[in-house]
Every structure is written in C-alpha cells, then in structure tokens.
Amino acid sequence: MSSQLLRHFLQSLQISDLIKPPLIIWLCMLANHVKLDKNSMKKPTSSMTEFTQVDEEAQRRISQAALLGRKSGQVHPAPLFKFSSHPGREGKKRSSKWDSNSNKPSSRPRSTGRSPPSPRPAESPSSTSQRRHSTARSSLRRHSPPWWRRSEPRPRTGDSSRNACEEYAEWLQNLGFRLLELLSLSLGLHAERLNKYFNDNTGYIRLNHYPSCPEPQLALGVGRHKDGGALTILSQDDVGGLDVKRKSDGEWVRVKPIPNSFIVNVGDIIQVWSNDEYESVEHRVSVNSERERFSFPFFFNPPFQTNIRPLEELTSEESPARYEEYNWGRFFKARRDSNFRKLNKENIQIYHFRKAL
Ligand SMILES: O=C(O)CCC(=O)C(=O)O
Ligand SMILES: [Fe+2]
C-alpha cells in the first residue's frame, strides 16, 4: 500500500466524523415489500428499486438498534459508534498465523493450501456466543485466504497505523452485526438469526484508489458487478463515482456522496438467504478527469466453509427455495480467479445457482 494511500485512509478515519449519528444508506432492492413494524423496527424503508436513504426516524431507530447488542453484554460495552478499543484486548493471546512482533510467519503450522476449506455437508455456524467476540483483527488474520498470505509479507506500516486499521475493522464488524439484526427483524426472523454465521467471519476491508483519467468515458474504475458476499459497508470520499443500476429502466444512477455516511450494500448471500426478499444490486464505479477518488468497502462475509441456501423459515410449499445450495468459499475463489486473477475462468454469478421452478 502506498504511504499516500495509507495516509489518506487514516485521515478518513477521523472517527469523530464517522460517529456522529451515522447515516446509513441501503443499497439494495426489496423484491417483495415486507412489513416492518414488528418490534418497532423499520425495514430499510421503501420498496424502491435500488438505493434508499433512510429517513430521520428510521435512522434514529437504526442507531438505537445498533446499541441493542449492549444488552446482556453481548457486544462491545462501549457505545457502538464510539471508536474505542475492545476491553481485554491488550495482552490477549491471539491465534494469529503471524508473529505479531517479527513481521514473519509464526512457527505455528499453517495451511499451505490455496483453496478455501472443503465444504461441510450442511450449514455449519457455531453458535457459542463467546466466539462472536472473535475480533475482526484475529478473524482477518486467521481467515484471510491463503492466496493472499502466500507471497505477501505483512505490511510494514508501523504499529499505530496497523492498530488504527484493525480497530476500524473491529468497529465495522460490530456495525455489521447490528445491520444483520435489522435485516433479520425485517424478514420476520429472530434478531440474532443471522449472527451465528459470522462468528468466524471472513470479513475484510479493501482500500480503493481511483486515479483521475484523461478519457473517463473510455474507462471504468470497477466494472459492473454484484457483491458476492453478505453485506458491504462502504465509506467513500466526496468525489463520487459509484453508480447503481436502476431496475425499472436499466439506467445507471450515481450514489451521491453524503458526508458522515456509510453505504450498505446487500450482497448475493443475503439475496439467497432471504429467498429473493432482498436482491443484491448491480453497481459499478465510474472515474472522472478531474479528481482521484478513494473508497473503503468492508465486506462482511461468513466463514468459507459455510454452505448457503435459502433459510428454511422463508421457504414453504407455496414459496419453495429458489436457489441450490452452494459453498461460499468456492464461490469466493471462483469469483476471484475469474474477476481479478483473470485465469480464464467463467465469472461465477449468483443466478448460476437459481433453480428452474
Ligand atoms: O468504490 C466504490 O464505491 C465501490 C467499489 C465496489 O463496488 C467494490 O469494491 O465491490
Ligand atoms: Fe461492489
């Protein structure tokens, strides 16, 4: 990572800016309108086709809901929207594959395989609430795919920047759990229904830098795609460039940057779990000739061994499962090999798993 990019990233972590009542913008498509007043929680409003800015009331409720997890000490005891370290973090032995002081792999044996673990026969989330506290830091280290670790030494960015990034990741992870609770409630499920799939999640942050381009009409920052994971929590600067495809007419619509806000993108996994109640939205990134742009998506995803299929509670004889079960790790690897590594593999899409009903 270039030092300039890192500096920009850290500047963007002026948490005092982020923690003022955060505006959550849902980038999703509610295929079917689901009633939401249950538990006095609003669904990320409206059934409009692509992105929805929650109104003030919904925002207040979302902030309240975000604090829900404080009950019974289940999550971070400090307010979620405060940037503070996890209690008991210091001195805690981490099961990292890296020796945290030496910038070298630890002597602990580690997997050398390139593929995610083989799928288990069924969904396999662990349900112990304690594991939920697995921090983003340890989770990111333990579960970052081997092909990322293989040739790359740990970045020599100095402890303070590393700590800032790791704490930010942890903070985002907590936010991810709160958003999952809102989604569960909106689907008529128990608030914690989805959380258990994320105990050992494979979440990660990407730092995107889009240089300005003299011929922007000839280039795209990121080609059109749907996010394959569960949730994307995106922070973007004020330049703008994210476009979503409006389903009604296929037009690309710019997502206007709003200060102190996150854009939350519902990904393919939520689409499948919800049996199409939610639909992940096609989006892309345009560039411009004037200004470079930075964005920092956090991809919140379950462990690689998780098998994904529509949730039983959301299927019935009248509304049968619309997707075949698939393994998240294999999906992720296939997407990576086709999209980013250009290995001449078919670009896997969620509709490949759609059943012919
Ligand atoms: O840069 C952005 O706004 C979005 C990037 C994106 O869609 C992605 O990384 O999946
Ligand atoms: Fe994306």
Side-chain angles (χ1 to χ4, degrees):
M1 187 192 319
S2 80
S3 58
Q4 188 214 5
L5 180 53
L6 180 68
R7 231 186 349 265
H8 189 99
F9 174 62
L10 292 173
Q11 273 162 12
S12 82
L13 299 185
Q14 292 308 312
I15 298 302
S16 56
D17 285 344
L18 287 177
I19 63 178
K20 281 178 210 143
L23 184 57
I24 308 284
I25 300 162
W26 292 84
L27 186 59
C28 65
M29 146 67 188
L30 293 181
N32 302 309
H33 195 55
V34 181
K35 285 222 179 67
L36 224 256
D37 350 271
K38 211 172 191 177
N39 304 302
S40 71
M41 209 70 71
K42 254 193 184 172
K43 188 154 194 165
T45 34
S46 100
S47 54
M48 67 180 280
T49 34
E50 36 335 275
F51 64 99
T52 304
Q53 180 177 330
V54 291
D55 60 29
E56 233 173 66
E57 173 61 8
Q59 201 182 320
R60 191 181 60 74
R61 288 180 184 170
I62 284 175
S63 304
Q64 272 176 357
L67 297 174
L68 276 182
R70 295 175 69 191
K71 70 177 187 292
S72 69
Q74 282 171 330
V75 291
H76 209 302
L80 178 65
F81 297 116
K82 204 162 162 220
F83 190 61
S84 60
S85 22
H86 197 287
R89 240 177 37 147
E90 301 314 321
K92 197 168 155 193
K93 186 122 180 71
R94 307 216 159 264
S95 57
S96 168
K97 294 181 182 3
W98 290 91
D99 176 335
S100 57
N101 297 318
S102 70
N103 211 25
K104 288 185 191 136
S106 71
S107 53
R108 199 167 159 265
R110 66 184 176 116
S111 157
T112 51
R114 294 185 182 193
S115 309
S118 311
R120 291 184 200 159
E123 299 172 310
S124 52
S126 155
S127 59
T128 50
S129 64
Q130 216 181 353
R131 294 182 68 199
R132 173 172 165 177
H133 292 282
S134 158
T135 61
R137 180 203 299 244
S138 60
S139 182
L140 286 167
R141 279 190 201 150
R142 273 185 289 132
H143 301 287
S144 56
W147 58 87
W148 291 353
R149 292 194 300 262
R150 219 173 340 130
S151 54
E152 293 158 41
R154 204 166 170 198
R156 293 162 197 265
T157 49
D159 274 352
S160 61
S161 30
R162 183 184 307 148
N163 287 344
C165 293
E166 289 177 344
E167 286 191 45
Y168 182 51
E170 187 168 339
W171 187 90
L172 283 167
Q173 184 181 237
N174 277 343
L175 177 58
F177 276 112
R178 302 287 73 74
L179 295 171
L180 288 174
E181 286 168 13
L182 285 171
L183 280 170
S184 301
L185 290 171
S186 75
L187 290 165
L189 304 168
H190 182 267
E192 305 241 329
R193 174 66 173 94
L194 298 177
N195 289 4
K196 62 185 177 182
Y197 296 100
F198 293 80
N199 288 330
D200 280 322
N201 68 75
T202 48
Y204 61 98
I205 296 175
R206 186 187 293 149
L207 310 183
N208 292 327
H209 176 212
Y210 306 96
S212 59
C213 172
E215 305 270 9
Q217 71 284 4
L218 301 178
L220 275 175
V222 178
R224 65 192 185 94
H225 68 283
K226 296 178 171 208
D227 290 347
L231 282 179
T232 306
I233 303 175
L234 176 82
S235 168
Q236 63 169 332
D237 63 16
D238 63 338
V239 175
L242 175 63
D243 302 323
V244 293
K245 193 169 192 178
R246 190 160 54 201
K247 204 171 176 183
S248 54
D249 57 5
E251 283 293 306
W252 288 103
V253 180
R254 178 63 43 89
V255 179
K256 193 173 155 232
I258 299 177
N260 305 321
S261 69
F262 287 117
I263 291 156
V264 176
N265 192 2
V266 170
D268 290 340
I269 290 179
I270 300 284
Q271 176 174 320
V272 173
W273 275 338
S274 73
N275 208 23
D276 284 348
E277 289 283 349
Y278 281 98
E279 192 175 319
S280 69
V281 162
E282 196 168 349
H283 55 285
R284 69 177 190 191
V285 179
S286 302
V287 288
N288 71 80
S289 55
E290 308 291 314
R291 292 176 67 193
E292 61 183 353
R293 173 173 180 266
F294 293 86
S295 76
F296 315 117
F298 170 61
F299 299 97
F300 197 37
N301 300 325
F304 288 130
Q305 68 267 29
T306 310
N307 291 339
I308 312 291
R309 59 168 182 250
L311 297 173
E312 272 168 25
E313 304 93 307
L314 302 178
T315 58
S316 63
E317 245 175 64
E318 303 79 60
S319 175
R322 297 183 182 186
Y323 296 88
E324 305 286 356
E325 181 173 285
Y326 67 96
N327 171 259
W328 161 239
R330 292 195 185 288
F331 185 98
F332 183 85
K333 184 172 186 314
R335 176 64 70 85
R336 209 178 160 77
D337 287 349
S338 58
N339 246 6
F340 301 122
R341 312 191 92 210
K342 309 267 186 269
L343 295 183
N344 237 352
K345 295 202 175 156
E346 187 189 15
N347 195 340
I348 194 168
Q349 299 294 338
I350 201 60
Y351 63 72
H352 293 151
F353 298 92
R354 191 177 272 284
K355 287 184 180 180
L357 292 176

